[in-house]
Amino acid sequence: MPTFVYMTRCDGCGYCVDVCPSDIMHIDTTYRRAYNIEPNMCWECYSCVKACPQHAIDCRGYSDFAPMGHSVRALREEEKGTISWKIKFRDGREKNFVSPIRTTPWGSIQSPADYAAPAQAAFKAQELAHEPEGLNIDKLPTLTPDRLKQGVV
Ligand code: SF4
Ligand code: SF4
């Protein structure tokens, strides 16, 4: 389900604009509040829901079943480090889920600028930055020619 913004709660901080991978959270130039400019293009990743400090972003139910009474609410609680989801089914049942916003302490992740500049040879390598050590493995798995033949009759 795509998202929408309660403009009365939004303070225009722009966190959702910065975090949206689809670049569809924009600030309305007249009201200085955020809005989802293109719900059809929403990835439904809910990064904006998790980032919003004002609890101003919610999930828009699909028009074919939302009128039947279902709802999805998200609540970000930064002091607890959790995000809670309250799912209400149209038969009245409710399910509640609580997940950590992240699994590492706040501020513990190095920014790209904290790492040494890569050597020239790294630009020609197949590995992405900080692979394989960033994946906690010694070496990336590779497909060898003998394994390619498996399954070929
Ligand atoms: Fe953007 Fe994801 Fe929010 Fe959709 S759910 S508006 S893609 S951040
Ligand atoms: Fe508004 Fe929340 Fe987006 Fe900030 S993160 S601009 S408060 S909707």
Side-chain angles (χ1 to χ4, degrees):
M1 292 167 287
T3 57
F4 68 96
V5 177
Y6 293 109
M7 282 197 169
T8 47
R9 285 191 210 154
C10 172
D11 66 5
C13 71
Y15 289 168
C16 58
V17 178
D18 293 341
V19 82
C20 176
S22 194
D23 198 20
I24 54 174
M25 276 295 185
H26 286 212
I27 300 288
D28 183 282
T29 50
T30 303
Y31 298 105
R32 306 299 306 158
R33 298 291 180 265
Y35 70 113
N36 186 331
I37 62 163
E38 186 48 86
N40 286 343
M41 300 300 287
C42 181
W43 295 15
E44 305 177 12
C45 67
Y46 304 129
S47 299
C48 56
V49 176
K50 295 173 200 165
C52 178
Q54 303 299 331
H55 305 146
I57 307 179
D58 224 329
C59 309
R60 183 196 302 262
Y62 288 123
S63 59
D64 53 349
F65 62 94
M68 297 175 182
H70 115 288
S71 68
V72 178
R73 300 298 323 279
L75 177 63
R76 177 185 190 270
E77 293 180 283
E78 190 166 330
E79 55 295 345
K80 291 188 196 165
T82 60
I83 184 151
S84 313
W85 298 91
K86 184 190 280 281
I87 318 288
K88 189 173 157 210
F89 294 85
R90 63 187 191 220
D91 63 5
R93 280 178 303 138
E94 260 187 29
K95 290 206 171 179
N96 295 282
F97 303 92
V98 182
S99 321
I101 290 175
R102 56 184 300 163
T103 53
T104 49
W106 290 94
S108 66
I109 292 185
Q110 286 179 278
S111 88
D114 296 330
Y115 290 92
Q120 275 301 316
F123 293 107
K124 294 189 179 150
Q126 293 288 326
E127 291 84 9
L128 298 177
H130 316 302
E131 284 182 349
E133 68 278 8
L135 300 171
N136 291 329
I137 54 177
D138 296 329
K139 164 167 159 317
L140 289 180
T142 50
L143 206 52
T144 52
D146 58 313
R147 293 174 70 198
L148 277 175
K149 287 180 191 157
Q150 280 178 12
V152 177
V153 182

